[in-house]
Amino acid sequence: MSWIDIGHIDDIPLLGARVVKTPVGCVALFRTGKAEVFAASNTCPHKRGPLSEGIVHGQKVTCPLHNWVFDLNTGLAQGEDGQIAVYPVRLDGGRILLNAAAIGKRSAA
Amino acid sequence: MRKQRLIVIGAGMASGRVLDHLIEADPDAFDITLFNAEPRGNYNRIMLSPVLAGDKSYEEIVTHDDAWYATHNVACRFGEAIARVDTAAKAVTTQTGEVLAYDKLLLATGSTPFIIPLPGHDLDGVIAYRDLEDTRKMMAMGPGNRVVVIGGGLLGLEAAAGMAARGVDVTVVHIMGHLMERQLDETAGFLLRTSLEEKGITILCGANSQQVLGADGHVRALRLDDGTELPCDLLVMAVGIRPNAALAQTAGLAVGKGIHVDDQMITSDNDVLAVGECVEHDGALFGLVAPLYDQAKVAAQTLLGQQAAFTQKSLSTKLKVTGCDLFSAGDFADGTGREDIVFRDPARGIYKRLVIEGDRLIGAVMYGDTADGNWFFGLIRDATPIEQMRETLIFGPAYQGGTQSDPLSAVAALPRDAEICGCNGICKGTITDAIAGGATDLVAVRTATKASASCGTCTGLVEQLLQVTLGDAFTIPASQTLCGCTTLSHEDVRRLIKSRALQSQPAVWQELGWSTPNGCHICRPAVNYYLLADWPLAYRDDPQSRFVNERKHANIQKDGKFSVVPRMWGGITTPAQLRAIADAAERFDVPTVKVTGGQRIDLLGVKGPDLPLIWADLNRAGLVSGHAYSKGLRTVKTCVGTDHCRFGTQDSTGLGIKLEKILWGAWTPHKLKLAVSGCPRNCAEATCKDIGVVCVDSGYQIGIGGAAGMDVKETELLAQVPSEEEAIEIVVAVTQAYREGARYLDRIYKWLGKVGLDWVNETVVDDLENRKALVARFELSQSIYRKDPWAEHTVDAKKYAPLADLTMEAAE
Ligand code: SRM
Ligand SMILES: Cc1cc2nc3c(=O)[nH]c(=O)nc-3n(C[C@H](O)[C@H](O)[C@H](O)COP(=O)(O)OP(=O)(O)OC[C@H]3O[C@@H](n4cnc5c(N)ncnc54)[C@H](O)[C@@H]3O)c2cc1C
Ligand code: SF4
Ligand code: FES
């Protein structure tokens, strides 16, 4: 599997998120801990709210528009009928590596 | 029939109240003649301390002015003392020998300060602290002068602090082991001493005065019995007062320590009444105004032939010295069968001690944080059983109902006649009967009994009663707790953040037992706000705990784009600013430019990554964030006022701009909207704002608690003041009180519903020390927050852009 280096973990505020534009659409990277990052779709299945603008807590994010809460491990919405795509991501030292195939890229640039 | 003649001797605080009540109830009942030995009419004697400290002028503390006496036909004989009273002839004789007859006589001669008869006590420059003359002598002192105050009680310390504020070198000589020993225990006395010493006052306790030394007939020093000499230019004795009963005594009225009165305030002569510090009622003497006001009301009713009776209540004390926050009530001497609950926070200089006997609170002493003083005082006065809340009592009212104290058993234990709803006077029994009669939810109980239908502070108690009575058939709504991460309520959390000095989010999660690692979208913004409001210096706002609007300083919209609203101070703009807005709108393809309801312009549909760029453009034209997105100051709407309008009474636009410049940037529990109208036509709609000022000829009417959103509410009048300066001070102080006290996401009107207008009035308007302290705390916080967030964010513009763009590379 090939991984793409997209930046340093400190580029994302603790309990915050940043967006990466990819061939599958906007992917949000959520930093849930000092050295813990999740990647998921940035688009809320309810009314397309930008999830990277939500409040990050535990391993979850709350959509800023109408407060749906998503578990970043599974992408499932709590108590609502909805799910977002989640993508494999890993940390190498401070670098954030996103799985290339999962976001529609054939090779690492 | 000719009117009855009423002669009043003494124009002090007590008689002033009698006159108010008399004239309000029946302005034509009496021909009133008012004598006063002081060459002036009624004024608020307790405010002499702020006058001394330079916070007030004498004019501001006058309670009845010439116009008032003239309007109400009160014949004034100021500067004339009565020398004799002849009760048989029903006449008084003035100093100059003039004789006047009365039908009713009211003695309100107050008390005389006690002067210790030390050798030299009659030297020039030895004074007491009682009236304006004394105050002026102290005000004549300044840097380079030395003053000794004998007496470390309430009065002596106010005198000392007032002069110290003027740069005078002050020494307090106190005979007892600690300050204010009648009101404070040793620990509180020690804390008080420390803060007074920080103000530069020298304090000698356990010091016995022996002799006043003079030179050329004027005081030069005080000598103590250990031989110490304390040089001074003025010596103030504040060692106690004696009822001024001499006149009554020579008139043959019954006098003990003071003039004997019955429950109707009548002396031993049926046509002579007495009120104030000169009286003795049921063996007690009086030295604070609260009971005098009760007496005054009764005396007025008695004079009007109505039934009324004076009853003594227990009293509480505060010291009017800035930075010395103390409160004491009831009896706190050690004793067998008494138990203490003590809370100390040395880091913040907080000390609280409660004295319990049986299941009653009988005394309370607090230093540093006195916010709950009145609540404790109520428990003492009403002899409320406290057994069930003993464990958490010291944390005060907001804590009661917290789960740790098992609120249900506390409520279950209350007797049937315990008052639950103070506003409507509804007892527990009435509520439980209604529940038994089929009122099985809050709304039904409200409808049936009116309980919790006014201010709503007892809602929690009513819900607990529902649960106790109905058991599992009723569950207390989850909204009681802050959110699912905790079992505590907003009030508990606010209180514990203060009392346990929790200064970071991790401290809150840890110490208060949060069930999640770092909260959720509901509690994080609330806790972030509470921390920054309570610890403006130690804690820094955490953007990640803010709703996106407040993190990005723009309003997010349904399509994820943003709206940008620059500030237009007081609704005023310039051609240059309008041009800058127009240019920015064109440059960033803003689809909608709209005039808002807040007297400014909204640029809707700005793309996220463009935000820092458009701000930079607007900044260059002098435009800053309008905080249209914040739980903070939004706008101050104004009307054109005196600048242009033919009806304007004051510079409403100017005041609006000043207020906006003072308040902007401050975070508040919910959004804060103000308006200033130039006259009662109210074109700026000030009466439906959180805080609204309506200008009138004689000054500024400040109303609070308005709203025009989901609820429409008219403001309630908080104060009317003559000067713009004072209007601003009150607006700032009430804003700070709201910041410190309200629950997150409560607008002012909701907060007001909980604390009551009277409380705000007492603490923000009447209590000048507290008002100033609130303003000072607001300013401290604003030293961090009064700045443009846009300007700060334009520098790290790249945070607003995507972290990476992998779509481009895909095209390679
Ligand atoms: C722009 C504006 C409407 C307009 O085009 O005029 C506006 C727009 C919004 N208002 Fe408002 N309000 C605007 C004036 C008002 C007014 C009138 C006023 O202030 O004179 C009111 C009624 C007065 C009041 O607040 O008491 C008002 C009562 C509300 C409420 C109800 C608040 C309440 O406590 O009941 C909300 C909801 C909330 O804050 O929770 C709200 C919320 C909103 C939000 C922020 C909704 C949101 O959270 O996304 C809207 C943002 C739209 C956007 O995309 O920018 N807006 N809103 C006005 C901006 C004024 C400004 O210059 O800052
Ligand atoms: C500096 C200071 C600070 C205080 N602070 C507080 C406080 O914070 N809280 C509190 O509760 N209390 C406080 N007090 C106490 C409070 O001021 C008194 O309890 C209150 O003023 C007593 O009211 P009174 O009407 O009985 O007497 P006074 O207000 O003293 O009025 C009596 C008047 O009668 C006049 N008089 C006397 N004899 C004659 C006569 N023969 N003929 C004509 N006139 C006569 C006197 O000149 C005097 O003006 C303070 C007092 C002082 C001096
Ligand atoms: S409220 Fe009064 S001062 Fe303001 S514009 Fe209207 S009429 Fe003029
Ligand atoms: S768009 Fe996300 S909750 Fe509605």
Side-chain angles (χ1 to χ4, degrees):
Chain A
M1 271 210 288
S2 65
W3 297 83
I4 308 174
D5 181 328
I6 49 158
H8 194 273
I9 183 155
D10 288 338
D11 293 335
I12 310 176
L14 189 59
L15 303 190
R18 292 288 293 277
V19 165
V20 176
K21 288 187 171 181
T22 75
V24 294
C26 282
V27 170
L29 287 168
F30 299 94
R31 183 173 179 191
T32 50
K34 272 217 160 342
E36 186 177 76
V37 176
F38 287 91
S41 162
N42 187 42
T43 310
C44 178
H46 176 223
K47 294 194 171 173
R48 307 185 56 77
L51 293 173
S52 59
E53 310 283 15
I55 289 181
V56 177
H57 48 101
Q59 296 180 330
K60 305 188 189 96
V61 64
T62 301
C63 176
L65 294 199
H66 316 96
N67 294 334
W68 282 23
V69 178
F70 296 89
D71 184 329
L72 296 171
N73 290 290
T74 60
L76 280 166
Q78 285 182 353
E80 304 284 352
D81 187 15
Q83 187 172 17
I84 48 173
V86 292
Y87 303 98
V89 62
R90 63 186 184 86
L91 287 171
D92 181 7
R95 306 305 301 179
I96 307 165
L97 305 177
L98 199 51
N99 184 276
I103 54 164
K105 298 220 12 147
R106 240 164 306 144
S107 66
Chain B
M1 207 185 86
R2 91 173 154 77
K3 279 203 244 173
Q4 294 226 75
R5 290 161 304 186
L6 170 66
I7 290 183
V8 181
I9 308 180
M13 302 201 62
S15 71
R17 273 300 164 100
V18 177
L19 294 180
D20 287 342
H21 288 303
L22 262 187
I23 282 165
E24 190 191 309
D26 186 354
D28 298 320
F30 291 98
D31 259 333
I32 303 172
T33 307
L34 176 62
F35 281 93
N36 201 23
E38 280 182 72
R40 59 186 69 87
N42 304 78
Y43 64 92
N44 191 347
R45 189 176 305 282
I46 72 179
M47 285 300 172
L48 285 174
S49 294
V51 170
L52 173 61
D55 295 335
K56 282 255 157 194
S57 67
Y58 169 69
E59 289 66 35
E60 287 174 274
I61 70 166
V62 169
T63 53
H64 300 66
D65 57 13
D66 293 346
W68 189 90
Y69 297 121
T71 316
H72 299 103
N73 288 319
V74 174
C76 299
R77 306 284 297 262
F78 299 150
E80 287 188 74
I82 294 297
R84 240 181 22 242
V85 172
D86 184 342
T87 52
K90 295 181 74 170
V92 300
T93 309
T94 72
Q95 250 170 343
T96 52
E98 191 185 336
V99 178
L100 281 90
Y102 65 78
D103 297 304
K104 293 282 178 190
L105 180 67
L106 177 65
L107 295 167
T109 47
S111 52
T112 32
F114 182 60
I115 297 284
I116 319 170
L118 298 174
H121 72 270
D122 45 6
L123 285 164
D124 239 12
V126 178
I127 62 169
Y129 185 18
R130 181 72 192 171
D131 56 23
L132 187 63
E133 278 66 35
D134 300 329
T135 310
R136 289 200 170 130
K137 283 181 194 142
M138 289 189 256
M139 289 167 76
M141 295 288 120
N145 285 122
R146 283 177 298 196
V147 176
V148 170
V149 177
I150 305 182
L154 208 64
L155 224 54
L157 296 181
E158 287 185 8
M163 285 184 283
R166 296 180 171 273
V168 181
D169 178 350
V170 184
T171 303
V172 174
V173 174
H174 191 49
I175 191 163
M176 304 303 284
H178 69 268
L179 296 175
M180 289 183 68
E181 76 286 349
R182 286 197 296 161
Q183 291 88 8
L184 299 182
D185 61 11
E186 249 184 303
T187 307
F190 163 78
L191 289 167
L192 173 62
R193 175 180 182 147
T194 312
S195 17
L196 290 170
E197 285 172 343
E198 275 164 18
K199 293 181 192 294
I201 301 171
T202 308
I203 295 184
L204 306 175
C205 284
N208 215 343
S209 309
Q210 192 185 54
Q211 188 180 354
V212 186
L213 306 174
D216 307 327
H218 194 277
V219 62
R220 154 176 92 70
L222 175 71
R223 181 186 291 153
L224 305 182
D225 66 356
D226 64 1
T228 317
E229 272 187 30
L230 304 168
C232 58
D233 306 308
L234 189 71
L235 176 67
V236 182
M237 288 200 195
V239 292
I241 51 171
R242 299 255 163 104
N244 192 351
L247 196 61
Q249 186 147 35
T250 49
L253 294 169
V255 170
K257 283 178 281 177
I259 308 170
H260 281 294
V261 290
D262 62 12
D263 291 350
Q264 281 66 48
M265 306 315 295
I266 298 174
T267 65
S268 55
D269 181 311
N270 218 14
D271 292 315
V272 183
L273 285 79
V275 286
E277 284 183 344
C278 59
V279 309
E280 178 181 337
H281 174 266
D282 205 6
L285 300 177
F286 304 88
L288 293 170
V289 294
L292 310 191
Y293 288 164
D294 291 343
Q295 293 176 359
K297 193 161 185 186
V298 171
Q301 285 169 306
T302 305
L303 282 169
L304 293 168
Q306 298 163 359
Q307 281 302 320
F310 170 68
T311 47
Q312 292 178 25
K313 297 183 186 138
S314 50
L315 293 173
S316 64
T317 318
K318 282 190 172 182
L319 179 72
K320 303 191 294 299
V321 173
T322 318
C324 301
D325 229 1
L326 65 82
F327 179 91
S328 108
D331 181 355
F332 47 84
D334 295 324
T336 43
R338 289 183 176 182
E339 209 188 309
D340 280 338
I341 302 179
V342 175
F343 172 87
R344 295 170 201 271
D345 181 347
R348 298 181 64 210
I350 290 174
Y351 168 75
K352 300 183 187 184
R353 174 163 162 243
L354 303 178
V355 183
I356 293 172
E357 195 167 50
D359 65 347
R360 307 288 144 124
L361 181 65
I362 60 163
V365 185
M366 318 167 69
Y367 192 89
D369 172 8
T370 55
D372 297 330
N374 283 332
W375 184 72
F376 289 123
F377 180 47
L379 296 181
I380 297 172
R381 194 189 47 213
D382 305 338
T384 313
I386 49 97
E387 199 52 50
Q388 298 302 324
M389 47 183 170
R390 184 184 285 243
E391 295 300 306
T392 55
L393 190 63
I394 197 127
F395 296 115
Y399 203 84
Q400 309 314 319
T403 46
Q404 266 118 320
S405 65
D406 190 4
L408 290 182
S409 58
V411 168
L414 289 176
R416 266 184 66 84
D417 59 357
E419 190 176 81
I420 301 288
C421 171
C423 299
N424 297 296
I426 312 297
C427 300
K428 176 180 165 184
T430 314
I431 298 171
T432 45
D433 289 348
I435 299 172
T440 54
D441 63 20
L442 189 62
V443 177
V445 171
R446 239 176 229 162
T447 318
T449 66
K450 284 222 161 23
S452 98
S454 298
C455 82
T457 34
C458 62
T459 305
L461 277 175
V462 174
E463 282 170 346
Q464 285 162 13
L465 275 178
L466 278 159
Q467 179 146 50
V468 166
T469 319
L470 299 174
D472 289 342
F474 180 85
T475 32
I476 294 181
S479 64
Q480 278 279 98
T481 61
L482 203 161
C483 69
C485 306
T486 174
T487 50
L488 299 168
S489 68
H490 278 272
E491 286 72 18
D492 294 333
V493 173
R494 266 219 107 154
R495 163 154 310 280
L496 291 166
I497 283 176
K498 289 194 188 94
S499 67
R500 297 206 196 159
L502 307 177
Q503 305 193 340
S504 68
Q505 290 190 20
V508 171
W509 315 145
Q510 176 59 33
E511 298 293 315
L512 304 187
W514 239 247
S515 63
T516 49
N518 44 35
C520 69
H521 65 274
I522 300 169
C523 58
R524 273 243 303 284
V527 167
N528 178 56
Y529 169 74
Y530 294 153
L531 287 167
L532 76 85
D534 288 340
W535 315 107
L537 300 185
Y539 181 79
R540 283 300 140 92
D541 182 42
D542 171 27
Q544 299 316 131
S545 298
R546 293 254 170 215
F547 180 60
V548 52
N549 288 2
E550 299 183 321
R551 186 172 350 112
K552 291 230 149 153
H553 302 280
N555 279 314
I556 196 162
Q557 299 171 332
K558 54 188 273 191
D559 58 357
K561 295 203 180 88
F562 292 87
S563 72
V564 170
V565 185
R567 209 167 267 293
M568 284 181 179
W569 309 96
I572 295 288
T573 184
T574 62
Q577 289 186 343
L578 291 173
R579 224 169 265 130
I581 292 173
D583 289 345
E586 278 181 357
R587 180 164 168 217
F588 295 97
D589 294 326
V590 172
T592 308
V593 180
K594 183 181 182 303
V595 173
T596 74
Q599 298 190 337
R600 49 206 189 154
I601 291 173
D602 194 350
L603 304 171
L604 296 120
V606 179
K607 294 178 269 307
D610 283 345
L611 286 172
L613 311 175
I614 194 168
W615 295 336
D617 276 14
L618 294 168
N619 274 171
R620 267 192 292 280
L623 291 155
V624 296
S625 168
H627 296 87
Y629 47 80
S630 79
K631 310 280 175 258
L633 179 81
R634 295 287 176 90
T635 62
V636 181
K637 283 176 74 164
T638 69
C639 74
V640 291
T642 40
D643 274 354
H644 301 280
C645 173
R646 67 201 165 106
F647 295 121
T649 61
Q650 313 278 355
D651 179 13
S652 50
T653 326
L655 174 55
I657 293 172
K658 281 184 195 152
L659 285 170
E660 194 162 349
K661 294 217 156 157
I662 292 169
L663 298 172
W664 79 298
W667 297 105
T668 44
H670 204 308
K671 54 192 175 188
L672 185 67
K673 297 176 175 182
L674 275 73
V676 185
S677 286
C679 84
R681 287 167 193 77
N682 195 14
C683 300
E685 300 168 324
T687 49
C688 64
K689 292 290 174 276
D690 295 285
I691 305 177
V693 180
V694 176
C695 302
V696 291
D697 270 326
S698 54
Y700 304 81
Q701 293 175 337
I702 302 162
I704 60 171
M710 289 171 282
D711 288 306
V712 180
K713 294 243 183 292
E714 190 178 341
T715 49
E716 293 180 59
L717 183 65
L718 177 65
Q720 169 154 356
V721 293
S723 72
E724 185 181 88
E725 197 188 355
E726 199 177 359
I728 293 174
E729 185 178 271
I730 290 177
V731 169
V732 170
V734 77
T735 302
Q736 181 64 11
Y738 166 59
R739 296 181 72 230
E740 290 176 2
R743 176 182 176 141
Y744 190 65
L745 297 188
D746 270 0
R747 292 280 287 265
I748 286 200
Y749 74 90
K750 291 216 174 126
W751 170 68
L752 190 63
K754 289 176 188 161
V755 299
L757 186 66
D758 287 346
W759 180 85
V760 181
N761 225 306
E762 274 164 33
T763 53
V764 174
V765 181
D766 296 344
D767 185 341
L768 288 171
E769 300 295 340
N770 191 45
R771 190 202 291 178
K772 295 251 187 283
L774 284 165
V775 172
R777 290 201 292 276
F778 183 77
E779 275 305 319
L780 179 72
S781 169
Q782 283 295 72
S783 68
I784 312 282
Y785 292 110
R786 190 187 282 132
K787 59 183 171 225
D788 179 22
W790 286 357
E792 292 187 340
H793 285 273
T794 48
V795 296
D796 44 29
K798 69 175 198 317
K799 285 193 187 153
Y800 286 74
L803 181 57
D805 187 346
L806 305 177
T807 51
M808 317 263 249
E809 288 153 321
E812 272 169 27

